[in-house]
Amino acid sequence: MSYRIFTDTSANLPTDLTEAKGITVVPFSYCLNGEEFMCTDTRSFDGAGFYGAIRKHASVSTSQINPFRYEEYMEPVLQAGSDILYIGMSSGISGSFASASVAIEQLRAKYPERDIRAVDTLSASLGEGIVVLKAVEYLESGMDIDEAEKRLNELSRKVCQIFIVDDLMHLRRTGRLSNAVALAGAVLQIKPMLKGNEKGQIVCIKKERGRRRAIESLVKVYENYIKNADEQIVGISHADCAEDAEYLASRLREVAAPKEILTVCYEPVTGSHVGPDTLALFFVGRDGFRTD
């Protein structure tokens, strides 16, 4: 029985790639200076302009999408006779997965002959995207939806997402940081390092003095936790700091070259929460990263 891969804006995958792989992306929305936009195509997103506006104190916000949007995108596929495997943004940082779950329950009742599954990746940006790409690989290999769902849930717990931000204000403002007690003292070029924990929540784990030292700390985490690098697609997301992303990629190749490094600019929905100059690294690692 055939099934289709669904994800959402947060997966941060280039539109050319999602189109080529037949991935349906449910779009999220954001507001910039009071005007609402829907994130539907990365090719038209001006990352430098968006993050430049935030640096100049533009007002930016997001809101949880309602279940109807998921239904709007999923129902035509169900009507056409395909099942759905949805791979979504971490429930630990957003209510979007809960909205998707509501929509899926409603659609299951309406289309009892169809199979709809949902995987909580416990990640965002390319942490989510890596799981989506693996889902495509499973589908193309002929794997059935039961086995794919099982393996993707296991994989999600092994995805390492770690990043540095220029200013914790954005995560604090939007309530995306779980250990708020760790926020003191963003001065003297101190760069906070954060990760996704076992619940998919964002927690601050360390602070480094200086940008380059912070990037080297990302490299060290990669060196300590990477598993089977030569078999992996590693993700790097940046919020308008492409040169830092290029430097990080070069250091990863020196330490343990992966099969591929996928580098993207943070899409505007997730990017509005982490803020300009955020640099993030995503890979599949050994057990323990999320709990260490």
Side-chain angles (χ1 to χ4, degrees):
M1 189 175 293
S2 65
Y3 60 96
R4 292 273 301 276
I5 304 298
F6 275 64
T7 188
D8 50 55
T9 292
S10 173
N12 216 159
L13 294 170
T15 300
D16 288 342
L17 181 57
T18 58
E19 290 180 348
K21 295 295 185 180
I23 302 164
T24 300
V25 181
V26 179
F28 290 172
S29 302
Y30 64 99
C31 288
L32 180 63
N33 289 331
E35 185 177 358
E36 185 175 20
F37 299 89
M38 190 177 291
C39 190
T40 57
D41 190 338
T42 60
R43 291 169 298 210
S44 61
F45 173 56
D46 177 9
F50 178 76
Y51 293 108
I54 295 177
R55 291 186 185 102
K56 295 177 181 177
H57 309 294
S59 172
V60 61
S61 64
T62 64
S63 59
Q64 180 181 329
I65 67 172
N66 60 43
F68 175 74
R69 187 172 298 174
Y70 289 97
E71 293 181 48
E72 181 183 17
Y73 277 78
M74 291 179 175
E75 189 161 17
V77 172
L78 300 172
Q79 289 175 339
S82 290
D83 297 333
I84 289 174
L85 177 56
Y86 169 68
I87 295 101
M89 182 184 189
S90 172
S91 61
I93 55 175
S94 170
S96 62
F97 191 81
S99 290
S101 298
V102 170
I104 287 169
E105 286 305 311
Q106 293 172 343
L107 290 168
R108 281 173 177 157
K110 193 172 181 179
Y111 299 92
E113 73 281 8
R114 299 268 62 86
D115 199 349
I116 316 171
R117 308 293 181 91
V119 173
D120 180 354
T121 63
L122 305 175
S123 297
S125 189
L126 288 181
E128 179 183 349
I130 286 170
V131 181
V132 175
L133 293 178
K134 183 60 70 171
V136 172
E137 183 182 316
Y138 291 158
L139 174 60
E140 291 177 343
S141 73
M143 188 179 295
D144 65 49
I145 197 169
D146 286 323
E147 184 65 18
E149 179 190 30
K150 176 184 174 183
R151 292 195 186 190
L152 293 171
N153 278 318
E154 292 172 352
L155 177 67
S156 295
R157 292 189 288 272
K158 296 178 180 179
V159 171
C160 304
Q161 64 170 6
I162 188 159
F163 57 107
I164 54 174
V165 298
D166 201 54
D167 191 337
L168 283 168
M169 174 192 71
H170 303 283
L171 287 164
R172 179 167 46 187
R173 171 179 56 82
T174 59
R176 261 52 180 187
L177 191 62
S178 293
N179 57 340
V181 69
L183 300 185
V187 294
L188 298 177
Q189 291 298 306
I190 291 175
K191 304 300 176 185
M193 178 179 291
L194 306 101
K195 74 171 187 177
N197 68 8
E198 71 277 12
K199 296 180 180 179
Q201 300 167 326
I202 296 172
V203 293
C204 185
I205 58 171
K206 189 178 182 182
K207 293 178 182 178
E208 289 285 5
R209 191 177 299 277
R211 181 82 172 177
R212 187 52 59 94
R213 285 186 62 178
I215 295 173
E216 289 299 329
S217 287
L218 295 180
V219 176
K220 190 66 176 178
V221 169
Y222 175 80
E223 185 176 21
N224 289 342
Y225 284 93
I226 188 65
K227 186 176 180 180
N228 301 325
D230 60 345
E231 300 175 6
Q232 284 203 47
I233 297 175
V234 169
I236 296 175
S237 299
H238 68 90
D240 192 30
C241 52
E243 289 186 4
D244 286 343
E246 290 174 5
Y247 174 76
L248 175 59
S250 70
R251 291 287 291 116
L252 299 183
R253 293 187 183 100
E254 291 173 3
V255 169
K259 179 177 71 174
E260 180 183 346
I261 297 178
L262 178 60
T263 301
V264 300
C265 180
Y266 258 107
E267 45 76 22
V269 178
T270 308
S272 68
H273 295 285
V274 296
D277 299 308
T278 293
L279 183 63
L281 174 62
F282 309 92
F283 60 93
V284 178
R286 62 178 176 80
D287 293 341
F289 172 82
R290 288 183 177 271
T291 55
D292 285 353

